[in-house]
């Protein structure tokens, strides 16, 4: 089973992805985690991505698609992948369609985690306080930019995937356990 978790920053995609890993034996493919690792390693990708990420903007499609393509070539992806934070633009969604076809993989479902902006602001501020600023992009100022980018660049993917018949929507404002149950329900 290959699925996409789609939703704004702070919707809880990472949290739910970890639960899907534990409950369904899938692997999590988080482009945010991969890019942060590249920044930490000081690789070429990391050097290109660092300032863009800190500004709350999107890393270029070419870089992100390249990172995902390489990751999908690793054998552990054959049991199923949760795409977390990817795709984030229509160009990335189209590239993913192509990549999956090339690699003989299929997309089973796109789970949209719906959460209002207002709730997200509260959640991200809490996460920033809890992590003590370990994520340079976790602050109120950057969040506003990230939400703007989400609505402009990523939200159109909801209609893109609705058109494929694969979109499943869950209420991401509920408790973590309730959201996990809702996701299991729509994937069953
Ligand atoms: P995330 O951990 O998914 O919230 O991602 C953190 C940051 O990494 C984002 O704000 C972007 O700067 C960058 N990023 C992660 N995934 C992508 C993507 N699919 N396309 C472009 N930039 C991304």
């Amino acid at each position: 089973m290959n699925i996409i978790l789609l939703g704004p920053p702070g919707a809880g995609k990472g949290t739910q992805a970890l639960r899907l890993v534990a409950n369904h034996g899938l692997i999590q493919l988080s482009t945010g985690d991969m890019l942060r690792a590249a920044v930490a390693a000081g690789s070429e990708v990391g050097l290109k991505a660092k300032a863009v990420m800190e500004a709350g903007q999107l890393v270029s499609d070419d870089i992100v698609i390249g990172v995902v393509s390489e990751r999908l070539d690793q054998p552990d992806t054959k049991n199923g992948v949760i795409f977390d934070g990817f795709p984030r633009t229509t160009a990335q969604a189209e590239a993913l369609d192509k990549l999956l076809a090339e690699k003989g993989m299929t997309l089973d479902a796109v789970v949209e985690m719906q959460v209002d902006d207002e709730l997200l602001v509260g959640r991200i501020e809490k996460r920033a306080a809890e992590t003590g600023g370990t994520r340079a992009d976790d602050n109120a100022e950057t969040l506003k930019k990230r939400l703007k980018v989400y609505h402009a660049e990523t939200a159109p993917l909801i209609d893109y995937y609705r058109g494929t018949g694969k979109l499943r929507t869950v209420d991401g404002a509920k408790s973590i356990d309730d959201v996990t149950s809702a996701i299991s329900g729509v994937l069953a």
Side-chain angles (χ1 to χ4, degrees):
M1 178 165 66
N2 299 304
I3 64 173
I4 293 171
L5 289 183
L6 187 62
K13 298 186 296 293
T15 302
Q16 296 300 330
L18 290 179
R19 289 179 164 213
L20 287 162
V21 168
N23 298 339
H24 295 269
L26 307 173
I27 66 136
Q28 177 192 16
L29 194 160
S30 158
T31 44
D33 284 351
M34 291 159 78
L35 291 168
R36 278 185 287 279
V39 170
S43 69
E44 202 187 322
V45 164
L47 292 176
K48 285 182 188 157
K50 190 171 189 281
V52 180
M53 291 173 75
E54 282 173 1
Q57 302 294 329
L58 294 184
V59 174
S60 80
D61 288 333
D62 286 353
I63 291 179
V64 177
I65 292 161
V67 163
V68 171
S69 177
E70 263 180 40
R71 182 68 185 87
L72 288 178
D73 285 335
Q74 290 170 29
D76 64 341
T77 58
K78 295 303 159 213
N79 295 330
V81 177
I82 308 153
F83 294 95
D84 164 10
F86 177 90
R88 258 177 158 98
T89 64
T90 303
Q92 290 179 20
E94 287 168 355
L96 180 62
D97 287 343
K98 225 173 123 201
L99 280 177
L100 291 175
E102 279 168 14
K103 297 174 198 293
M105 298 168 75
T106 50
L107 183 63
D108 297 284
V110 178
V111 179
E112 180 207 354
M113 296 174 62
Q114 228 173 35
V115 192
D116 289 343
D117 283 11
E118 220 172 89
L119 187 64
L120 294 169
V121 175
R123 278 188 182 176
I124 286 213
E125 281 173 346
K126 192 167 163 245
R127 184 167 75 184
E130 281 168 4
T131 58
T134 50
R135 280 183 56 161
D137 59 356
D138 262 347
N139 61 66
E141 190 198 326
T142 311
L143 168 66
K144 281 179 204 150
K145 283 188 205 153
R146 297 179 77 212
L147 282 172
K148 215 170 156 187
V149 169
Y150 174 78
H151 289 294
E153 304 284 341
T154 309
L157 297 182
I158 296 167
D159 278 340
Y160 180 90
Y161 287 116
R162 188 176 285 121
T164 68
K166 289 177 181 168
L167 188 75
R168 308 282 179 268
T169 301
V170 300
D171 180 0
K174 295 215 169 114
S175 72
I176 293 175
D177 284 346
D178 284 351
V179 176
T180 303
S181 302
I183 292 174
S184 293
V186 298
L187 293 179

